[in-house]
Amino acid sequence: MFLFLSFIFPGIVLAGEGPTAQSNAAAIDTVWVLICAYLVFLMHAGFTMVEAGFTRAKNIVNIMMKNMLTVSLGALLFFVIGFGLAFGGDAGSFIGVKGFCLAGIQDLDFGIPMHAFWLFQAVFCATAATIVSGAMAERTKFIAYIVFTAVITAFIYPIVVHWVWNGEGWLAQKGFIDFAGSTVVHGVGGWSALVGAWLVGARLGKYGKEGEVRAIPGHNIALGTLGTLLLWLGWFGFNPGSSLAGTDPSIGLIATTTMLAASAGVIGAMIFTWLRHGKPDMTMVLNGALGGLVGITAGCASVSPLGSIIIGIICGIILPVSVSFFDKTVKIDDPVGAISVHGVCGAFGTLSVGFLAVDGGLLYGGGSSLLITQFTGVIAVLAWTLGLGYIACKIINAVTGLRVSHEEEMEGLDIGEHGMEAYGDFILRPVDALGLSQGHSIEGKY
Amino acid sequence: MFLFLSFIFPGIVLAGEGPTAQSNAAAIDTVWVLICAYLVFLMHAGFTMVEAGFTRAKNIVNIMMKNMLTVSLGALLFFVIGFGLAFGGDAGSFIGVKGFCLAGIQDLDFGIPMHAFWLFQAVFCATAATIVSGAMAERTKFIAYIVFTAVITAFIYPIVVHWVWNGEGWLAQKGFIDFAGSTVVHGVGGWSALVGAWLVGARLGKYGKEGEVRAIPGHNIALGTLGTLLLWLGWFGFNPGSSLAGTDPSIGLIATTTMLAASAGVIGAMIFTWLRHGKPDMTMVLNGALGGLVGITAGCASVSPLGSIIIGIICGIILPVSVSFFDKTVKIDDPVGAISVHGVCGAFGTLSVGFLAVDGGLLYGGGSSLLITQFTGVIAVLAWTLGLGYIACKIINAVTGLRVSHEEEMEGLDIGEHGMEAYGDFILRPVDALGLSQGHSIEGKY
Amino acid sequence: MFLFLSFIFPGIVLAGEGPTAQSNAAAIDTVWVLICAYLVFLMHAGFTMVEAGFTRAKNIVNIMMKNMLTVSLGALLFFVIGFGLAFGGDAGSFIGVKGFCLAGIQDLDFGIPMHAFWLFQAVFCATAATIVSGAMAERTKFIAYIVFTAVITAFIYPIVVHWVWNGEGWLAQKGFIDFAGSTVVHGVGGWSALVGAWLVGARLGKYGKEGEVRAIPGHNIALGTLGTLLLWLGWFGFNPGSSLAGTDPSIGLIATTTMLAASAGVIGAMIFTWLRHGKPDMTMVLNGALGGLVGITAGCASVSPLGSIIIGIICGIILPVSVSFFDKTVKIDDPVGAISVHGVCGAFGTLSVGFLAVDGGLLYGGGSSLLITQFTGVIAVLAWTLGLGYIACKIINAVTGLRVSHEEEMEGLDIGEHGMEAYGDFILRPVDALGLSQGHSIEGKY
């Protein structure tokens, strides 16, 4: 802020030239992308509150710490390594090879100033990583989580970005459409969550000896709802911001399809759980909103408003079915439903572009070629993420161990990992022999 | 996000033409309206937190569910029906007749891309509906709330919008000034809240057999404050965004009057309650901020900064008086003060334009004609809303019942309506025979 | 919102002239500054949540009230007095002399519409004041806090702004660089916090008779983390917005240095506390993010991304050392660490510009003259703030008293100052003879 300072630092005044239509358009795009990046940053507050809302009071310090770490380490590693792998030129359509620490890429054209572009991509990167946090919550060693986050943000995610969002990547060249990242971001996050939650194992008490499945309710539905609404808000940066241009008139349509899909996800999940269980289910309604948002992310610029409502409703129905499948059939313990929200709805949303894209979708007479391309992209990212994630988790497990001790898990990770409590002034319900809070009577709903 | 993809999808590049001053101005307006729409969306998080903060822990899941439902159902119904009634042409200055599902209105000029305009109007619509949620909290059946919300968002609110914000509407043609909706949004919400809270009846224990009035304190003042600040922030989209143009230089003035009125509302309520009760009252200070914001909404572009301070202070004083009036004299139980904040301060704010508008206000030598027009608008919307709302609630009551059973109300709606608790890990104070939490000793302050 | 109303109010249509590159550039700058002002406003929600998170449940109503008061009173006083002192012309390079209530300064050129400029400055002013709230929390009389806030927002802060950000101010003329206010905002806030916390004295029970230091943990780490993330978000308005121009291409770089410094602050604090105490410390990680943000505020437009990482890491390490120094050595009780975050990291950040500024920094071959100027500025603001703050607190103490009674402090300020509780439905841990909550076993970590 240097008001009236032009006589002191004449250098900061543009050298004698006024604004042009060209410079104004560039400014509009820069302002737009920055503000959208800020909204995506806010999604980290959303993820943090959702994860906290759906888990237990004894693990909240650990959850806060993980989320602070994810966004910070993610940004630093994406600066040092990830951005270069994603956008620094190309080697064989597979990987970027320069631009580490943003050096040596002054000749590349990102449409907007490089640093604004970097920030937008950096907050996306951290988003992919933070999805894992919820699925592995309440039993993962902090150091193990750090290393897994580093692997995702520095390597697994940037490579996928290169494939899809760098024009020379192999999926981009096939014509794969993932406008804002149903697969690039949410697929990578969701499948990493799947492999992480699987390998770290279920929380103590989640599954009984007789195979019974116990619901472990979250400790603060108000925070969970706040988090969901913050995520929804952040998605208005995530999707319309991926135009990378405020001068693109379609940003209004993209925001509208985003809004409608989220709304339809809520209504779909509400009606479905109401019919199935006799009562509308709160956690499924929150996850239904997120499922609809993840689902529309790939096609937000390609489908019509009615198409977005269809995608949202289906995601709202897929979601509780998928949660139940992983929880009861596959028995992978995912405290927040991240696998279903991000992995499953992300895959469905990516495929739905093949059906519902106004330009090229099967239902609009476009034939099956786009659908096949979409399918290829989903499977490629799934295989890449599960493979790399499996190797990473196995190595981490061998070196540091993935999981805290049973004693620490029962007492809560806050004391064990961080030496403090989240809610010092409140009296909490006592914990039973399995580390479950007493007083929870609702069992095994999903 | 298709970086470097122009060679793949050449269609997305604007056909050979660069930006112009005209296209840049359109882009600035679009970006501005979208970002303001996002801020108004965030108001739903604000309303949710305020409502939760001012009510009891046993009903929080229900409150979260209602708010998620309001914004989702509101957006979908406003897409399918409401937008057409509000902005789809005109029939007799009273109602729109086309544009349902946004179809068939490509010829209308909204100044900005139609979908951006729709999103801004959709989040406004949901705002009007969500006001009701707080006033009817803690005893209304979820299904009854859903139906009432549908009636408001699909019919009651869009008609009023057509009257005032569609140039052909009868109040618009009279010269009625309600820039961002003191009456259109907050009047409709506040008077719907009045009729709803009246017909559903007071919460158990609120009024004793001897006519004594009991205060039922909220369960989380921190969340209530967070919600108020989020609403305040959202109002910076609500009011300046209603210019529908980032190229309108008056957006700075509008943001300033908004800021000053809210601040004056806080100070007015603080001083008034301090003098009256010996201590500054927290809930009145929060509602004072909101009252000042509602009050300035009609005239934010018409009054001076000093005028906005006057409006804010008066709203801060009207507010506790009005809350006390409804609570103790009329005995309508409004847990969050929504009737006073939105209905009463909204009416006052709309009328104050007749006095304080720099161009046409009575105190600026403009005569009484504007004031009479403002009065007409306030009364018309009041009558319309109370009338339609009364009919709707009576029908709902006959079909599904408005109110949960006494047993459910005492236990809390979370278990009865949704089968879960909001705060599973915390030990809550026991509930007495009236369903009131023990340990609250402050009685009947308002 | 007056859609289609141009035939009714033809005056609101720009008189026959279309947009130009000049008018569009002005609109871009206005929109940018307003949105950044909104983000800075949101920092008040952040400060409120951080302060609440780090203090005890029995004082939360008081903390909410103080924060609502700060932003409201701050805005009103900055409108009536402060803005004129800061930006209303100049008298002897020391103080502004007109522009009170924004009157009589139509001839001044602020680059953007005056009201937009005012709003941006007003939310900055309230930020400086709110820093004090946390440091003096849990034992300061509400009336005393009000008066101190008034002195800061109406006098102490605006004068410093005049020195640095009004081109005719004496520090501006020396070439002092404080782009967004490491010293102007955070120095004033931090040093006011120092004098306030010192003069009001430590909380009961904080220091034992044998000189032992007790940690008094906060009551809600989830809210504290939410607040930190909201502050981080707000900083994206604070720093890049201080360009006062969306048409300035460097806003992308500024946002990037802001992001990297905050991230590095987190990592610095985490590693440092992990090595020192065996566990990564949550409160230091949160404050590390804030320390990095405060540290980069002065130089966000002057240093490179690598420079910002260096500043952030050092702030993350300085922070816990400084907290420990004030807590254990100096024995000034600062519940939230505001003195270290804002005062100490602000001073370090301002000085670091002298080393790391790409243009003029010592490490870039610029010699020591910039460093000396930076040092002069830091010392001048420190002396001014401590001096004025000391006088103000002494007078307040003589007139109203700074501190509540011991009985009130033990019971909590919520009952004593405001007659209500923050968490009516929850059962809290009992309080011992010193007013400390029982069950806190972690002692004197810092």
Side-chain angles (χ1 to χ4, degrees), chain A residues 1-5 7-9 14 18-21 23-25 27-28 30-31 34-35 38-39 41-42 44-45 48-49 52 60-62 64-65 67-69 71-73 75-76 79-80 101-102 113-116 118-119 122-123 142-143 146 219-220 223 226 230 415-428, chain C residues 21-22 24-25 28 32 35 39 56-57 87 109-110 117 120-121 124 165-167 172-173 175 177 179 218-222 225-226 228-230 232-233 236 240 242 244 246-247 249 251-253 255-256 259-260 263-264 266-267 270 274 279-283 285-286 289 305-306 309 423 426-429 437 439-440 442 445:
Chain A
M1 218 160 356
F2 296 106
L3 195 65
F4 311 146
L5 280 186
F7 65 97
I8 299 177
F9 298 116
L14 288 169
T20 64
S23 74
N24 281 334
I28 294 167
T30 305
V31 164
L34 282 178
I35 293 168
Y38 301 171
L39 289 169
F41 175 82
L42 182 60
H44 289 283
T48 307
M49 292 300 109
I60 297 306
V61 173
N62 177 251
M64 298 296 119
M65 187 69 101
N67 278 277
M68 291 298 291
L69 183 278
V71 66
S72 302
L73 187 65
L76 291 171
F79 174 77
V80 175
C101 295
L102 296 182
M114 179 180 68
H115 292 102
W118 175 82
L119 185 72
V123 288
F142 185 52
I143 184 71
I146 294 177
H219 89 292
N220 195 326
L223 287 190
L226 175 63
L230 292 179
I415 299 294
E417 298 289 271
H418 311 289
M420 65 183 294
E421 302 167 1
Y423 298 107
D425 285 357
F426 295 92
I427 299 188
L428 302 181
Chain C
Q22 213 69 40
N24 280 335
I28 294 167
W32 173 249
I35 293 168
L39 290 169
R56 287 167 290 177
F87 293 106
D109 177 15
F110 299 105
F117 184 74
F120 191 73
Q121 299 298 335
F124 265 65
W165 288 338
N166 192 299
Q173 299 208 1
I177 296 180
F179 189 74
H219 89 291
N220 195 326
I221 294 300
T225 305
L226 175 63
T228 302
L229 289 169
L230 292 180
W232 189 332
L233 174 68
F236 287 127
S242 290
L244 298 175
T247 52
I251 53 178
L253 172 67
T256 292
M259 180 76 188
L260 290 172
S263 300
V266 166
I267 301 299
M270 197 180 81
W274 207 333
K279 292 182 180 181
D281 185 284
M282 186 75 225
T283 58
V285 161
L286 297 179
L306 281 172
I309 293 176
Y423 298 107
F426 295 92
I427 299 188
L428 302 180
R429 285 181 176 159
S437 307
H440 295 136
I442 307 143
K445 198 156 54 169

Side-chain angles (χ1 to χ4, degrees), chain B residues 317-368:
Chain B
I317 294 168
I318 285 178
L319 200 273
V321 174
S322 172
V323 166
S324 184
F325 174 75
F326 282 106
D327 200 49
K328 292 187 167 160
T329 309
V330 182
K331 295 201 169 161
I332 289 179
D333 180 18
D334 175 1
V336 303
I339 301 165
S340 301
V341 168
H342 300 278
V344 175
C345 289
F348 170 76
T350 309
L351 296 176
S352 72
V353 177
F355 291 100
L356 287 166
V358 172
D359 182 10
L362 191 66
L363 300 178
Y364 286 82
S368 63

Side-chain angles (χ1 to χ4, degrees), chain C residues 68-408:
Chain C
M68 291 298 292
L69 182 277
T70 306
V71 66
S72 301
L73 187 65
L76 291 171
L77 289 176
F78 195 73
F79 174 76
V80 175
I81 304 172
F83 186 80
L85 297 181
F87 293 106
D90 180 68
S93 307
F94 184 77
I95 193 166
V97 289
K98 57 182 177 173
F100 306 108
C101 295
L102 297 183
I105 49 173
Q106 281 68 20
D107 56 317
L108 294 184
D109 177 15
F110 299 105
I112 52 172
M114 180 179 68
H115 292 104
F117 184 74
W118 176 82
L119 186 73
F120 191 73
Q121 299 298 335
V123 287
F124 265 65
C125 175
T127 300
T130 204
I131 293 166
V132 180
S133 178
M136 299 180 73
E138 306 203 286
R139 74 276 202 199
T140 305
K141 267 191 184 165
F142 185 52
I143 184 71
Y145 177 77
I146 293 177
V147 179
F148 195 26
T149 298
V151 173
I152 294 169
T153 55
F155 191 68
I156 298 179
Y157 171 77
I159 301 294
V160 173
V161 170
H162 188 87
W163 296 354
V164 180
W165 288 338
N166 192 299
E168 294 148 5
W170 70 273
L171 277 168
Q173 299 208 1
K174 277 190 184 296
F176 179 62
I177 296 180
D178 187 5
F179 189 74
S182 283
T183 284
V184 176
V185 179
H186 298 280
V188 167
W191 306 133
S192 298
L194 172 59
V195 75
W198 170 43
L199 291 177
V200 76
R203 289 169 292 173
L204 286 179
K206 174 70 191 174
Y207 299 110
K209 286 180 184 159
E210 323 292 316
E212 69 269 31
V213 179
R214 295 191 194 92
I216 304 181
H219 89 291
N220 195 326
I221 294 300
L223 286 189
T225 305
L226 175 63
T228 302
L229 289 169
L230 292 180
L231 282 167
W232 189 332
L233 174 68
W235 240 286
F236 287 127
F238 205 89
N239 286 1
S242 290
S243 67
L244 298 175
T247 52
D248 178 348
S250 69
I251 53 178
L253 172 67
I254 300 171
T256 292
T257 55
T258 302
M259 180 76 188
L260 290 172
S263 300
V266 166
I267 301 299
M270 197 180 81
I271 294 176
F272 181 81
T273 59
W274 207 333
L275 294 175
R276 193 173 172 193
H277 302 291
K279 292 182 180 181
D281 185 284
M282 186 75 225
T283 58
M284 289 303 132
V285 161
L286 297 179
N287 271 335
L290 300 181
L293 288 162
V294 169
I296 195 60
T297 296
C300 55
S302 308
V303 305
S304 72
L306 281 172
S308 71
I309 293 176
I310 293 167
I311 291 173
I313 286 182
I314 297 177
C315 285
I317 295 168
I318 286 178
L319 202 272
V321 175
S322 172
V323 166
S324 183
F325 174 75
F326 283 106
D327 199 51
K328 293 188 164 158
T329 310
V330 183
K331 295 202 170 161
I332 289 179
D333 180 18
D334 176 1
V336 303
I339 302 165
S340 300
V341 168
H342 301 277
V344 174
C345 289
F348 169 76
T350 309
L351 295 176
S352 72
V353 177
F355 292 99
L356 288 165
V358 172
D359 183 10
L362 191 66
L363 300 178
Y364 288 81
S368 64
S369 77
L370 178 57
L371 183 58
I372 292 167
T373 303
Q374 298 298 101
F375 190 76
T376 309
V378 168
I379 296 297
V381 172
L382 175 81
W384 165 259
T385 306
L386 288 182
L388 271 284
Y390 183 85
I391 295 168
C393 283
K394 281 293 186 186
I395 294 175
I396 294 167
N397 194 32
V399 176
T400 70
L402 274 176
R403 187 164 180 144
V404 300
S405 71
H406 284 195
E407 291 70 32
E408 182 175 335

Side-chain angles (χ1 to χ4, degrees), chain B residues 21-22 24-25 28 32 35 39 56-57 87 109-110 117 120-121 124 165-167 172 179 219-222 225-226 229 232-233 236 240 242 244 246-247 251-253 255-256 259-260 263 266-267 270 274 279-282 285-286 305 309 427-429 437 440 442, chain C residues 1-5 7-9 19-21 24 27-28 30-31 34-35 38 41-42 44-45 48-49 60-61 64-65 68-69 71-73 75-76 79 101 113 115-116 118-119 123 142-143 146 223 226 230 415-427:
Chain B
Q22 213 69 40
N24 280 334
I28 295 167
W32 173 248
I35 292 167
L39 289 169
R56 287 168 290 177
F87 293 107
D109 177 16
F110 300 104
F117 183 74
F120 190 73
Q121 299 300 335
F124 265 64
W165 288 338
N166 192 299
F179 190 74
H219 88 292
N220 195 325
I221 295 300
T225 305
L226 175 63
L229 289 169
W232 189 333
L233 174 68
F236 287 127
S242 289
L244 297 175
T247 51
I251 53 177
L253 172 67
T256 292
M259 180 76 187
L260 289 172
S263 300
V266 167
I267 302 299
M270 196 180 80
W274 206 333
K279 292 183 179 179
D281 184 285
M282 187 73 226
V285 160
L286 297 179
I309 294 176
I427 299 187
L428 302 180
R429 285 182 177 159
S437 307
H440 296 135
I442 305 143
Chain C
M1 217 161 352
F2 296 106
L3 194 66
F4 312 145
L5 282 186
F7 64 97
I8 299 178
F9 299 116
T20 65
N24 280 335
I28 294 167
T30 305
V31 164
L34 282 179
I35 293 168
Y38 301 170
F41 175 81
L42 183 60
H44 289 283
T48 306
M49 292 301 108
I60 296 306
V61 173
M64 298 297 119
M65 187 70 102
M68 291 298 292
L69 182 277
V71 66
S72 301
L73 187 65
L76 291 171
F79 174 76
C101 295
H115 292 104
W118 176 82
L119 186 73
V123 287
F142 185 52
I143 184 71
I146 293 177
L223 286 189
L226 175 63
L230 292 180
I415 299 293
E417 299 289 89
H418 311 289
M420 64 183 293
E421 302 167 0
Y423 298 107
D425 284 358
F426 295 92
I427 299 188

Side-chain angles (χ1 to χ4, degrees), chain A residues 204-289:
Chain A
L204 285 180
K206 174 67 191 175
Y207 299 110
K209 285 179 186 162
E210 322 293 315
E212 69 269 32
V213 180
R214 297 192 193 91
I216 304 181
H219 89 292
N220 195 326
I221 294 300
L223 287 190
T225 306
L226 175 63
T228 302
L229 289 169
L230 292 179
L231 282 167
W232 189 333
L233 174 68
W235 240 285
F236 287 128
F238 206 88
N239 286 1
S242 290
S243 68
L244 298 174
T247 51
D248 177 348
S250 69
I251 53 178
L253 172 67
I254 300 171
T256 292
T257 54
T258 302
M259 180 76 187
L260 290 173
S263 300
V266 166
I267 301 299
M270 198 180 80
I271 293 177
F272 181 80
T273 58
W274 207 332
L275 294 175
R276 191 172 173 194
H277 302 292
K279 292 183 180 179
D281 184 284
M282 187 74 225
T283 58
M284 287 304 131
V285 160
L286 297 178
N287 271 337

Side-chain angles (χ1 to χ4, degrees), chain B residues 172-429:
Chain B
Q173 298 209 2
K174 277 191 183 299
F176 180 61
I177 297 180
D178 188 6
F179 190 74
S182 284
T183 285
V184 176
V185 179
H186 298 281
V188 167
W191 306 134
S192 299
L194 173 59
V195 74
W198 170 43
L199 291 178
V200 76
R203 290 169 291 175
L204 286 180
K206 174 69 191 175
Y207 299 110
K209 286 181 185 158
E210 324 292 315
E212 70 269 31
V213 180
R214 296 192 194 92
I216 303 181
H219 88 292
N220 195 325
I221 295 300
L223 286 190
T225 305
L226 175 63
T228 303
L229 289 169
L230 291 180
L231 281 167
W232 189 333
L233 174 68
W235 240 286
F236 287 127
F238 205 89
N239 285 1
S242 289
S243 68
L244 297 175
T247 51
D248 178 348
S250 70
I251 53 177
L253 172 67
I254 300 171
T256 292
T257 55
T258 302
M259 180 76 187
L260 289 172
S263 300
V266 167
I267 302 299
M270 196 180 80
I271 294 176
F272 182 81
T273 59
W274 206 333
L275 294 174
R276 191 172 174 195
H277 302 290
K279 292 183 179 179
D281 184 285
M282 187 73 226
T283 58
M284 288 304 131
V285 160
L286 297 179
N287 271 335
L290 301 181
L293 287 162
V294 170
I296 195 61
T297 296
C300 55
S302 308
V303 306
S304 72
L306 281 172
S308 72
I309 294 176
I310 293 168
I311 291 173
I313 287 182
I314 297 178
C315 285
I317 294 168
I318 285 178
L319 200 273
V321 174
S322 172
V323 166
S324 184
F325 174 75
F326 282 106
D327 200 49
K328 292 187 167 160
T329 309
V330 182
K331 295 201 169 161
I332 289 179
D333 180 18
D334 175 1
V336 303
I339 301 165
S340 301
V341 168
H342 300 278
V344 175
C345 289
F348 170 76
T350 309
L351 296 176
S352 72
V353 177
F355 291 100
L356 287 166
V358 172
D359 182 10
L362 191 66
L363 300 178
Y364 286 82
S368 63
S369 77
L370 178 57
L371 182 58
I372 292 167
T373 303
Q374 298 298 101
F375 189 75
T376 308
V378 168
I379 295 298
V381 173
L382 175 82
W384 165 259
T385 307
L386 288 183
L388 271 283
Y390 183 85
I391 295 169
C393 284
K394 280 294 183 185
I395 293 175
I396 295 167
N397 194 32
V399 177
T400 70
L402 274 176
R403 189 165 179 143
V404 301
S405 71
H406 284 196
E407 291 69 32
E408 181 175 337
E409 187 177 343
M410 283 195 280
E411 189 187 16
L413 276 66
D414 290 359
I415 299 293
E417 298 289 270
H418 311 289
M420 65 182 293
E421 303 167 1
Y423 298 106
D425 284 358
F426 294 93
I427 299 187
L428 302 180
R429 285 182 177 159

